[in-house]
Amino acid sequence: MSYDPVKFKQTFRDNWNTVAPTYHAGWAGAGRGPFRSTKELVKAANIRRDDYVLDLACGTGAVAKEASQFVGPSGLLVGIDFARGPLAIARSENPACNFAEMDAEHIGLRARFDVVLCQYALMFFPEPEKVLVALRALLKRGGRLAVAVHGPAEGVPYFSTIMEPVLKRIPDIRPAGTPNVHRFGRKEDLENVISAAGFSEVAVRNFIFDYQAGSFAQYWSDYMSTTAASIRSKIEARGAQVVEEIRREAEERSRKYADNGSITFPWQVLVATAANR
């Protein structure tokens, strides 16, 4: 089966609309685990009073909320996302900000910005370099880009503890070439895609946060209902025995991160900054 970028985006949007409330309540809005990077991302962007700021693929508005503290009365903060579910949450949480339903690969904005922020989205764009080139065109000369992405599989065991057993048994669960969460998880890959779009002064900082996943039963339930929601039906279609094999192997893998039955995962995050010179 070949990878279809249009179908991928449609599926991603549908899933995003479905999981947005849970994602916001338990993750982004609460600043848990990898979303401790929200403050670091905004800090790295060095937002100044009265800056014009774009929050690309803004989701439920966690980054916009943090960034809005630094934008003065003459500034502007705009968040765009291609899914209505998370945008509704973003608007309700940030009434002073501006949000629009818009595809990051087809940005319909004419304003010029001082800062562009993007948290946990770059790796999912079918054409990330094209997006970054478009962002450069939207940035003022000297404007600043700040991007956060998840680290490699070994640096984010929350994902790999379950996903590796899944891939062992269902290697074709996603078409070859499908964008994945670890796509820019290595420093050199993130630097290269940003530099290829024409940005200068590219710098990448590495962070290790932790995420308390609770018991294995809680972790399994959380993962299957949110992270794996778009592929859960494909996993379950292989039958109860395969699901149980995946669950048992994942539980065994999780034990190295457990203490008294409670799992704490390390979570590697890369935050890149760059300038439009």
Side-chain angles (χ1 to χ4, degrees), residues 36-48 51 53 62-63 66-70 115-117 119 144-148 205 207 209 271-273:
R36 286 164 59 192
S37 72
T38 300
K39 291 183 181 294
E40 298 295 344
L41 177 70
V42 173
K43 180 180 177 182
N46 190 27
I47 297 171
R48 305 183 183 103
D51 271 352
V53 179
V63 171
E66 178 69 19
S68 66
Q69 301 177 56
F70 302 95
V115 175
V116 173
L117 304 166
Q119 180 168 247
R144 305 173 300 284
L145 173 73
V147 176
R205 291 186 63 193
F207 295 88
F209 301 114
V271 174
T273 53

Side-chain angles (χ1 to χ4, degrees), residues 96-175:
C97 300
N98 303 273
F99 296 97
E101 184 179 346
M102 194 175 298
D103 187 341
E105 292 188 305
H106 302 281
I107 301 175
L109 296 173
R110 294 185 179 181
R112 299 293 299 278
F113 294 91
D114 300 284
V115 175
V116 173
L117 304 166
C118 183
Q119 180 168 247
Y120 304 141
L122 183 68
M123 56 276 196
F124 294 123
F125 299 144
E127 298 183 88
E129 187 176 325
K130 178 181 175 181
V131 172
L132 290 166
V133 169
L135 293 179
R136 272 196 68 218
L138 286 173
L139 276 170
K140 298 175 184 176
R141 182 62 63 89
R144 305 173 300 284
L145 173 73
V147 176
V149 298
H150 299 292
E154 63 270 21
V156 191
Y158 172 86
F159 294 128
S160 58
T161 296
I162 291 177
M163 199 60 201
E164 288 183 5
V166 169
L167 291 172
K168 182 188 296 185
R169 292 162 180 84
I170 319 173
D172 61 346
I173 195 163
R174 291 192 178 104

